[in-house]
């Protein structure tokens, strides 16, 4: 169940970040509200995740998956492109998340 909560947290954070870009520094009310509600939802679901998953592991997954998703959304919605070093760096982050999930035996206390 913790991975489901974490998935909701990640999706909420990605929606919030996308809306934050669209809010134009909180000058547009609807994207600003979407951003605030999404970030609140993200932290709520992250708090549920942390009941059973160590914070370091949860945050590594959150940030790794979030970086990739928001980069894809930025490309599709905002036309922002990444250069090769950025893509390689993200690949290393994803590889780290895979290693954590495949091999870590950490548990929450």
């Amino acid at each position: 169940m913790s991975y489901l909560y974490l998935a909701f947290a990640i999706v909420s954070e990605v929606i919030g970040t996308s809306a934050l870009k669209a809010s134009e520094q909180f000058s547009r009310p609807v994207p600003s509200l979407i951003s605030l509600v999404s970030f609140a939802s993200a932290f709520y679901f992250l708090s549920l995740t942390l009941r059973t998953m160590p914070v370091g592991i949860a945050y590594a997954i959150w940030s790794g998956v979030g970086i990739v998703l928001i980069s894809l959304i930025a490309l599709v919605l905002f036309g922002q492109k990444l250069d090769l070093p950025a893509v390689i760096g993200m690949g290393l982050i994803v590889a780290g998340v895979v290693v954590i999930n495949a091999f870590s035996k950490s548990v929450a206390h």
Side-chain angles (χ1 to χ4, degrees):
M1 194 66 155
S2 61
Y3 281 100
L4 182 61
Y5 290 145
L6 185 55
F8 286 142
I10 292 166
V11 169
S12 294
E13 189 269 336
V14 168
I15 291 169
T17 302
S18 300
L20 186 61
K21 167 72 173 147
S23 78
E24 297 177 10
Q25 296 78 45
F26 292 107
S27 65
R28 297 178 60 215
V30 172
S32 297
L33 182 61
I34 291 170
S35 185
L36 294 172
V37 170
S38 295
F39 284 131
S41 173
F43 285 115
Y44 172 73
F45 283 111
L46 181 61
S47 75
L48 296 178
T49 302
L50 298 179
R51 289 179 180 169
T52 57
M53 187 181 291
V55 68
I57 303 296
Y59 198 77
I61 296 167
W62 166 325
S63 60
V65 174
I67 287 168
V68 171
L69 290 178
I70 200 63
S71 295
L72 291 172
I73 288 172
L75 174 66
V76 172
L77 295 182
F78 305 116
Q80 298 175 352
K81 296 183 175 135
L82 299 172
D83 60 8
L84 184 59
V87 172
I88 291 170
M90 279 194 260
L92 291 169
I93 292 168
V94 169
V97 170
V98 169
V99 168
I100 288 169
N101 279 291
F103 302 107
S104 178
K105 304 293 185 224
S106 297
V107 295
H109 292 101

